[in-house]
Amino acid sequence: MSSAARIQEICAAHSARKGPLLPILHDLQAEFGCIDEEAEGLVAKALNLSRAEVHGVVSFYHDFRPAPDARPEVQICRAEACKARGVEAIVPDAERAAGKRVRLSTVYCLGLCSVGPNARIGDAVYSRLDAERIQQLVEGA
């Protein structure tokens, strides 16, 4: 099945939903690892939107990428609660451990504000991080 056919299939699977754009984009990101211009155009056509409208949503949310990136990702919460608990002091340690092998992403709230600083790798969330623990997590990602 071509990627265009798969994109159309995903769009069709959500066509009966109210507000299908975000579920479609999440499925595309999961399936292809990115939402490129071709996908934006096909989604726009399927939902009777302009490509600019779809691109606006894709570019607004950090979870959507325009090109695939095979590197493992470590998301670090840098919202106010994690900042108050010292996340900015451990970010340089994470960056050193990551090098170019691991993609570090900033997120704003992982929902564990009382036990920050927090990070997420895949579906696992890690809390009460310090410099040593964030280095271990990044190196193990």
Side-chain angles (χ1 to χ4, degrees):
M1 176 181 291
S2 71
S3 62
R6 181 65 184 130
I7 291 167
Q8 290 168 342
E9 187 178 276
I10 290 170
C11 290
H14 293 284
S15 65
R17 298 179 75 154
K18 286 186 176 180
L21 181 57
L22 283 176
I24 289 170
L25 295 177
H26 280 288
D27 283 358
L28 293 176
Q29 181 68 45
E31 177 103 10
F32 299 105
C34 69
I35 302 170
D36 61 15
E37 289 182 12
E38 177 190 8
E40 287 179 0
L42 291 169
V43 170
K45 184 176 180 182
L47 299 180
N48 196 26
L49 299 170
S50 71
R51 197 177 84 67
E53 290 172 304
V54 174
H55 180 73
V57 174
V58 170
S59 62
F60 179 80
Y61 291 102
H62 298 285
D63 287 341
F64 304 134
R65 293 184 197 83
D69 187 343
R71 296 178 298 170
E73 179 180 30
V74 176
Q75 296 177 328
I76 299 174
C77 180
R78 296 174 84 172
E80 289 79 6
C82 283
K83 282 189 181 216
R85 294 182 166 274
V87 71
E88 295 305 323
I90 65 172
V91 166
D93 299 300
E95 290 171 343
R96 273 192 299 278
K100 295 187 180 200
R101 187 188 69 78
V102 175
R103 179 170 21 104
L104 295 180
S105 301
T106 295
V107 294
Y108 294 96
C109 197
L110 293 172
L112 296 170
C113 300
S114 65
V115 291
N118 302 305
R120 179 171 52 196
I121 302 171
D123 292 331
V125 179
Y126 303 89
S127 60
R128 301 184 197 278
L129 298 176
D130 57 17
E132 182 180 340
R133 183 69 178 132
I134 193 74
Q135 285 178 355
Q136 290 173 345
L137 289 173
V138 171
E139 290 169 358

